[in-house]
Short mmCIF file of all heavy atoms in Angstrom, two decimals:
data_model
loop_
_atom_site.label_atom_id
_atom_site.label_comp_id
_atom_site.label_asym_id
_atom_site.label_seq_id
_atom_site.Cartn_x
_atom_site.Cartn_y
_atom_site.Cartn_z
N HIS A 734 42.26 -54.92 15.86
CA HIS A 734 43.04 -54.17 16.81
C HIS A 734 44.21 -53.49 16.10
O HIS A 734 44.49 -52.27 16.38
CB HIS A 734 43.62 -55.10 17.89
CG HIS A 734 44.37 -54.44 18.97
ND1 HIS A 734 43.76 -53.63 19.90
CD2 HIS A 734 45.70 -54.39 19.24
CE1 HIS A 734 44.72 -53.12 20.71
NE2 HIS A 734 45.85 -53.59 20.32
N HIS A 735 44.86 -54.15 15.19
CA HIS A 735 45.93 -53.54 14.43
C HIS A 735 45.41 -52.33 13.57
O HIS A 735 46.03 -51.29 13.53
CB HIS A 735 46.55 -54.50 13.45
CG HIS A 735 47.48 -55.52 14.12
ND1 HIS A 735 48.19 -56.49 13.42
CD2 HIS A 735 47.76 -55.77 15.41
CE1 HIS A 735 48.87 -57.17 14.23
NE2 HIS A 735 48.60 -56.83 15.48
N THR A 736 44.23 -52.48 13.04
CA THR A 736 43.60 -51.43 12.22
C THR A 736 43.36 -50.24 13.15
O THR A 736 43.60 -49.06 12.82
CB THR A 736 42.28 -51.92 11.61
OG1 THR A 736 42.63 -52.96 10.75
CG2 THR A 736 41.61 -50.79 10.85
N ARG A 737 42.81 -50.47 14.37
CA ARG A 737 42.53 -49.36 15.30
C ARG A 737 43.81 -48.66 15.74
O ARG A 737 43.80 -47.42 15.79
CB ARG A 737 41.74 -49.88 16.56
CG ARG A 737 40.28 -50.21 16.32
CD ARG A 737 39.55 -50.44 17.59
NE ARG A 737 40.09 -51.54 18.38
CZ ARG A 737 39.74 -52.84 18.21
NH1 ARG A 737 38.91 -53.21 17.27
NH2 ARG A 737 40.33 -53.76 18.93
N GLU A 738 44.88 -49.42 16.03
CA GLU A 738 46.12 -48.77 16.41
C GLU A 738 46.67 -47.89 15.28
O GLU A 738 47.09 -46.74 15.52
CB GLU A 738 47.16 -49.83 16.82
CG GLU A 738 46.94 -50.48 18.11
CD GLU A 738 47.99 -51.44 18.55
OE1 GLU A 738 48.66 -52.03 17.65
OE2 GLU A 738 48.10 -51.64 19.75
N LEU A 739 46.65 -48.39 14.05
CA LEU A 739 47.10 -47.59 12.92
C LEU A 739 46.22 -46.37 12.67
O LEU A 739 46.75 -45.25 12.48
CB LEU A 739 47.10 -48.48 11.66
CG LEU A 739 47.70 -47.85 10.42
CD1 LEU A 739 49.14 -47.30 10.64
CD2 LEU A 739 47.70 -48.85 9.26
N ALA A 740 44.92 -46.53 12.76
CA ALA A 740 44.04 -45.40 12.62
C ALA A 740 44.24 -44.34 13.70
O ALA A 740 44.16 -43.15 13.42
CB ALA A 740 42.56 -45.85 12.61
N THR A 741 44.44 -44.78 14.94
CA THR A 741 44.75 -43.87 16.03
C THR A 741 46.00 -43.06 15.75
O THR A 741 46.07 -41.87 15.92
CB THR A 741 44.89 -44.63 17.34
OG1 THR A 741 43.59 -45.23 17.65
CG2 THR A 741 45.21 -43.66 18.50
N TRP A 742 47.08 -43.76 15.29
CA TRP A 742 48.33 -43.04 14.92
C TRP A 742 48.05 -42.03 13.83
O TRP A 742 48.47 -40.86 14.00
CB TRP A 742 49.36 -44.04 14.50
CG TRP A 742 50.52 -43.32 13.77
CD1 TRP A 742 50.78 -43.42 12.42
CD2 TRP A 742 51.44 -42.45 14.26
NE1 TRP A 742 51.85 -42.62 12.15
CE2 TRP A 742 52.24 -41.98 13.26
CE3 TRP A 742 51.64 -41.90 15.58
CZ2 TRP A 742 53.28 -41.07 13.43
CZ3 TRP A 742 52.69 -40.96 15.75
CH2 TRP A 742 53.49 -40.60 14.70
N LEU A 743 47.35 -42.41 12.75
CA LEU A 743 47.11 -41.50 11.65
C LEU A 743 46.30 -40.27 12.12
O LEU A 743 46.52 -39.13 11.66
CB LEU A 743 46.37 -42.19 10.54
CG LEU A 743 47.23 -43.27 9.81
CD1 LEU A 743 46.31 -44.03 8.82
CD2 LEU A 743 48.43 -42.68 9.16
N GLY A 744 45.38 -40.48 13.09
CA GLY A 744 44.51 -39.42 13.54
C GLY A 744 45.20 -38.52 14.61
O GLY A 744 44.67 -37.39 14.84
N THR A 745 46.27 -38.98 15.21
CA THR A 745 46.95 -38.15 16.20
C THR A 745 48.38 -37.84 15.97
O THR A 745 49.03 -37.27 16.78
CB THR A 745 46.86 -38.96 17.54
OG1 THR A 745 47.55 -40.20 17.49
CG2 THR A 745 45.43 -39.20 18.03
N ARG A 746 48.86 -38.19 14.75
CA ARG A 746 50.33 -37.95 14.50
C ARG A 746 50.72 -36.47 14.62
O ARG A 746 51.92 -36.24 14.94
CB ARG A 746 50.69 -38.59 13.16
CG ARG A 746 50.13 -37.88 11.95
CD ARG A 746 50.66 -38.53 10.66
NE ARG A 746 50.08 -37.90 9.53
CZ ARG A 746 49.02 -38.34 8.84
NH1 ARG A 746 48.47 -39.41 9.20
NH2 ARG A 746 48.57 -37.63 7.85
N ASP A 747 49.82 -35.55 14.41
CA ASP A 747 50.16 -34.15 14.55
C ASP A 747 50.39 -33.78 16.01
O ASP A 747 50.95 -32.69 16.28
CB ASP A 747 49.14 -33.23 13.92
CG ASP A 747 47.75 -33.38 14.50
OD1 ASP A 747 47.41 -34.53 14.96
OD2 ASP A 747 46.94 -32.36 14.49
N GLU A 748 50.02 -34.59 16.96
CA GLU A 748 50.27 -34.38 18.39
C GLU A 748 51.67 -34.84 18.82
O GLU A 748 52.06 -34.58 19.94
CB GLU A 748 49.16 -35.06 19.17
CG GLU A 748 47.79 -34.61 18.89
CD GLU A 748 46.68 -35.48 19.61
OE1 GLU A 748 47.06 -36.33 20.48
OE2 GLU A 748 45.55 -35.27 19.22
N TRP A 749 52.37 -35.51 17.92
CA TRP A 749 53.69 -36.11 18.22
C TRP A 749 54.73 -35.20 17.70
O TRP A 749 54.56 -34.44 16.76
CB TRP A 749 53.76 -37.49 17.62
CG TRP A 749 52.96 -38.50 18.35
CD1 TRP A 749 51.63 -38.78 18.09
CD2 TRP A 749 53.32 -39.30 19.45
NE1 TRP A 749 51.17 -39.72 18.96
CE2 TRP A 749 52.18 -40.10 19.80
CE3 TRP A 749 54.47 -39.49 20.19
CZ2 TRP A 749 52.20 -41.01 20.82
CZ3 TRP A 749 54.52 -40.39 21.22
CH2 TRP A 749 53.40 -41.13 21.51
N SER A 750 55.93 -35.31 18.26
CA SER A 750 57.07 -34.49 17.83
C SER A 750 57.51 -34.86 16.40
O SER A 750 57.13 -35.90 15.93
CB SER A 750 58.25 -34.75 18.77
OG SER A 750 58.73 -36.03 18.58
N GLU A 751 58.24 -33.94 15.77
CA GLU A 751 58.73 -34.18 14.47
C GLU A 751 59.67 -35.46 14.45
O GLU A 751 59.65 -36.21 13.48
CB GLU A 751 59.54 -33.00 13.93
CG GLU A 751 60.05 -33.14 12.55
CD GLU A 751 58.96 -33.48 11.49
OE1 GLU A 751 57.81 -32.98 11.62
OE2 GLU A 751 59.26 -34.14 10.49
N ALA A 752 60.38 -35.65 15.57
CA ALA A 752 61.23 -36.82 15.65
C ALA A 752 60.47 -38.10 15.54
O ALA A 752 60.87 -39.05 14.86
CB ALA A 752 62.09 -36.76 16.90
N TRP A 753 59.32 -38.13 16.28
CA TRP A 753 58.49 -39.33 16.22
C TRP A 753 57.77 -39.49 14.92
O TRP A 753 57.59 -40.59 14.37
CB TRP A 753 57.46 -39.37 17.40
CG TRP A 753 58.06 -39.87 18.60
CD1 TRP A 753 58.31 -39.25 19.75
CD2 TRP A 753 58.63 -41.23 18.81
NE1 TRP A 753 58.96 -40.11 20.71
CE2 TRP A 753 59.14 -41.32 20.09
CE3 TRP A 753 58.68 -42.38 17.96
CZ2 TRP A 753 59.73 -42.47 20.61
CZ3 TRP A 753 59.28 -43.49 18.45
CH2 TRP A 753 59.78 -43.56 19.73
N ASN A 754 57.40 -38.37 14.26
CA ASN A 754 56.79 -38.47 12.92
C ASN A 754 57.82 -39.02 11.91
O ASN A 754 57.50 -39.80 11.05
CB ASN A 754 56.25 -37.13 12.47
CG ASN A 754 54.86 -36.92 12.92
OD1 ASN A 754 53.89 -37.38 12.27
ND2 ASN A 754 54.66 -36.23 14.13
N ARG A 755 59.08 -38.59 11.99
CA ARG A 755 60.11 -39.15 11.10
C ARG A 755 60.46 -40.61 11.44
O ARG A 755 60.91 -41.36 10.56
CB ARG A 755 61.44 -38.34 11.25
CG ARG A 755 61.44 -37.00 10.54
CD ARG A 755 62.86 -36.44 10.48
NE ARG A 755 63.58 -36.56 11.76
CZ ARG A 755 63.53 -35.63 12.77
NH1 ARG A 755 62.81 -34.54 12.59
NH2 ARG A 755 64.27 -35.80 13.81
N SER A 756 60.19 -41.01 12.67
CA SER A 756 60.55 -42.36 13.11
C SER A 756 59.44 -43.37 13.02
O SER A 756 59.51 -44.49 13.58
CB SER A 756 61.03 -42.31 14.54
OG SER A 756 62.21 -41.46 14.60
N SER A 757 58.25 -42.99 12.43
CA SER A 757 57.20 -43.95 12.20
C SER A 757 57.29 -44.53 10.80
O SER A 757 57.96 -43.94 9.96
CB SER A 757 55.84 -43.27 12.45
OG SER A 757 55.63 -42.27 11.46
N ASP A 758 56.63 -45.62 10.61
CA ASP A 758 56.76 -46.24 9.28
C ASP A 758 55.45 -47.00 8.97
O ASP A 758 54.85 -47.63 9.89
CB ASP A 758 57.93 -47.20 9.29
CG ASP A 758 58.05 -47.97 7.94
OD1 ASP A 758 58.26 -47.30 6.94
OD2 ASP A 758 57.95 -49.23 7.96
N MET A 759 55.04 -46.93 7.71
CA MET A 759 53.94 -47.75 7.24
C MET A 759 54.34 -48.13 5.82
O MET A 759 54.27 -47.37 4.85
CB MET A 759 52.62 -46.88 7.21
CG MET A 759 51.41 -47.70 6.92
SD MET A 759 49.84 -46.83 7.25
CE MET A 759 49.88 -45.61 5.93
N SER A 760 54.85 -49.37 5.72
CA SER A 760 55.44 -49.89 4.49
C SER A 760 54.82 -51.24 4.15
O SER A 760 54.26 -51.93 5.03
CB SER A 760 56.94 -50.07 4.66
OG SER A 760 57.59 -48.89 4.98
N ASP A 761 54.93 -51.60 2.90
CA ASP A 761 54.61 -52.93 2.48
C ASP A 761 55.39 -53.33 1.27
O ASP A 761 55.90 -52.48 0.59
CB ASP A 761 53.10 -53.14 2.20
CG ASP A 761 52.55 -52.31 1.10
OD1 ASP A 761 52.95 -52.64 -0.05
OD2 ASP A 761 51.76 -51.40 1.32
N TRP A 762 55.58 -54.61 1.14
CA TRP A 762 56.33 -55.17 0.05
C TRP A 762 55.58 -56.38 -0.54
O TRP A 762 54.86 -57.05 0.21
CB TRP A 762 57.71 -55.69 0.45
CG TRP A 762 58.63 -54.68 0.96
CD1 TRP A 762 59.58 -53.97 0.27
CD2 TRP A 762 58.74 -54.17 2.33
NE1 TRP A 762 60.29 -53.13 1.06
CE2 TRP A 762 59.75 -53.20 2.33
CE3 TRP A 762 58.11 -54.48 3.48
CZ2 TRP A 762 60.19 -52.53 3.49
CZ3 TRP A 762 58.43 -53.79 4.65
CH2 TRP A 762 59.48 -52.84 4.61
N THR A 763 55.74 -56.64 -1.78
CA THR A 763 55.26 -57.91 -2.45
C THR A 763 56.42 -58.70 -2.86
O THR A 763 57.27 -58.24 -3.60
CB THR A 763 54.34 -57.57 -3.67
OG1 THR A 763 53.27 -56.77 -3.18
CG2 THR A 763 53.80 -58.83 -4.25
N LEU A 764 56.56 -59.88 -2.30
CA LEU A 764 57.68 -60.78 -2.59
C LEU A 764 57.16 -62.09 -3.21
O LEU A 764 56.05 -62.44 -2.97
CB LEU A 764 58.45 -61.07 -1.29
CG LEU A 764 58.90 -59.89 -0.45
CD1 LEU A 764 59.49 -60.42 0.92
CD2 LEU A 764 59.95 -59.15 -1.14
N SER A 765 58.01 -62.78 -3.91
CA SER A 765 57.69 -64.13 -4.38
C SER A 765 58.49 -65.09 -3.58
O SER A 765 59.75 -65.17 -3.74
CB SER A 765 58.03 -64.29 -5.86
OG SER A 765 57.21 -63.39 -6.64
N LEU A 766 57.82 -65.88 -2.72
CA LEU A 766 58.54 -66.76 -1.75
C LEU A 766 57.84 -68.14 -1.74
O LEU A 766 56.64 -68.28 -2.01
CB LEU A 766 58.46 -66.20 -0.35
CG LEU A 766 59.11 -64.83 -0.13
CD1 LEU A 766 58.84 -64.36 1.29
CD2 LEU A 766 60.60 -64.88 -0.40
N THR A 767 58.64 -69.12 -1.37
CA THR A 767 58.06 -70.45 -1.05
C THR A 767 57.55 -70.37 0.42
O THR A 767 57.98 -69.51 1.14
CB THR A 767 59.14 -71.54 -1.15
OG1 THR A 767 60.15 -71.29 -0.19
CG2 THR A 767 59.80 -71.61 -2.56
N PRO A 768 56.69 -71.30 0.80
CA PRO A 768 56.30 -71.33 2.20
C PRO A 768 57.48 -71.42 3.16
O PRO A 768 57.48 -70.76 4.22
CB PRO A 768 55.40 -72.57 2.33
CG PRO A 768 54.91 -72.83 0.93
CD PRO A 768 56.02 -72.38 0.02
N GLU A 769 58.52 -72.17 2.77
CA GLU A 769 59.68 -72.28 3.68
C GLU A 769 60.42 -70.93 3.80
O GLU A 769 60.83 -70.58 4.89
CB GLU A 769 60.61 -73.35 3.13
CG GLU A 769 60.10 -74.74 3.13
CD GLU A 769 59.11 -75.06 2.04
OE1 GLU A 769 59.10 -74.36 1.00
OE2 GLU A 769 58.34 -76.03 2.15
N ARG A 770 60.54 -70.23 2.68
CA ARG A 770 61.27 -68.93 2.73
C ARG A 770 60.39 -67.88 3.47
O ARG A 770 60.92 -67.04 4.25
CB ARG A 770 61.54 -68.43 1.32
CG ARG A 770 62.53 -69.24 0.58
CD ARG A 770 63.97 -68.82 0.78
NE ARG A 770 64.14 -67.46 0.22
CZ ARG A 770 65.07 -66.64 0.65
NH1 ARG A 770 65.88 -66.96 1.64
NH2 ARG A 770 65.20 -65.38 0.16
N ALA A 771 59.10 -67.96 3.35
CA ALA A 771 58.18 -67.06 4.13
C ALA A 771 58.30 -67.28 5.61
O ALA A 771 58.37 -66.39 6.39
CB ALA A 771 56.72 -67.24 3.69
N LEU A 772 58.42 -68.61 6.03
CA LEU A 772 58.62 -68.93 7.42
C LEU A 772 59.99 -68.43 7.92
O LEU A 772 60.07 -67.88 9.00
CB LEU A 772 58.50 -70.43 7.60
CG LEU A 772 58.37 -70.90 9.04
CD1 LEU A 772 57.20 -70.27 9.78
CD2 LEU A 772 58.22 -72.42 9.07
N ASP A 773 61.00 -68.55 7.10
CA ASP A 773 62.31 -67.96 7.42
C ASP A 773 62.23 -66.48 7.68
O ASP A 773 62.79 -65.97 8.64
CB ASP A 773 63.32 -68.23 6.33
CG ASP A 773 63.79 -69.72 6.23
OD1 ASP A 773 63.51 -70.43 7.19
OD2 ASP A 773 64.33 -70.07 5.15
N LEU A 774 61.52 -65.79 6.80
CA LEU A 774 61.32 -64.33 6.91
C LEU A 774 60.64 -63.97 8.25
O LEU A 774 61.05 -63.05 8.95
CB LEU A 774 60.53 -63.82 5.70
CG LEU A 774 60.15 -62.33 5.78
CD1 LEU A 774 61.40 -61.39 5.78
CD2 LEU A 774 59.23 -62.01 4.57
N ILE A 775 59.58 -64.75 8.54
CA ILE A 775 58.84 -64.48 9.78
C ILE A 775 59.78 -64.67 11.00
O ILE A 775 59.81 -63.77 11.89
CB ILE A 775 57.66 -65.48 9.90
CG1 ILE A 775 56.58 -65.10 8.89
CG2 ILE A 775 57.06 -65.43 11.31
CD1 ILE A 775 55.52 -66.15 8.66
N HIS A 776 60.51 -65.71 11.06
CA HIS A 776 61.45 -65.96 12.17
C HIS A 776 62.53 -64.85 12.27
O HIS A 776 62.83 -64.40 13.39
CB HIS A 776 62.14 -67.35 12.05
CG HIS A 776 61.14 -68.49 12.30
ND1 HIS A 776 60.41 -68.61 13.42
CD2 HIS A 776 60.80 -69.52 11.51
CE1 HIS A 776 59.68 -69.68 13.37
NE2 HIS A 776 59.86 -70.25 12.18
N GLU A 777 63.05 -64.48 11.15
CA GLU A 777 64.07 -63.40 11.13
C GLU A 777 63.51 -62.08 11.60
O GLU A 777 64.11 -61.34 12.33
CB GLU A 777 64.70 -63.27 9.77
CG GLU A 777 65.65 -64.45 9.46
CD GLU A 777 66.35 -64.29 8.10
OE1 GLU A 777 66.65 -63.13 7.76
OE2 GLU A 777 66.59 -65.32 7.45
N MET A 778 62.28 -61.75 11.17
CA MET A 778 61.60 -60.50 11.61
C MET A 778 61.34 -60.55 13.12
O MET A 778 61.64 -59.59 13.82
CB MET A 778 60.32 -60.24 10.86
CG MET A 778 60.46 -59.82 9.45
SD MET A 778 58.94 -59.29 8.69
CE MET A 778 57.86 -60.68 8.90
#
């Protein structure tokens, strides 16, 4: 479902305003965490 939502956005982003195109995000990070710190990150997000 997440993949379909992202693919739909990528396929229709030209139908959205410039403001919405600037306000969308597709990011990722690689971190080195312990399981406890990963859980803290999840709760904070």
Side-chain angles (χ1 to χ4, degrees):
H734 184 71
H735 286 184
T736 300
R737 283 190 304 274
E738 286 183 335
L739 185 55
T741 298
W742 163 251
L743 293 174
T745 62
R746 68 179 180 261
D747 59 330
E748 299 171 11
W749 290 86
S750 69
E751 182 57 32
W753 276 115
N754 272 277
R755 280 192 317 271
S756 300
S757 67
D758 178 61
M759 191 168 70
S760 301
D761 65 66
W762 295 266
T763 300
L764 307 173
S765 295
L766 302 174
T767 63
E769 294 78 19
R770 294 270 296 150
L772 191 56
D773 289 344
L774 175 61
I775 291 167
H776 291 302
E777 288 182 35
M778 287 189 305

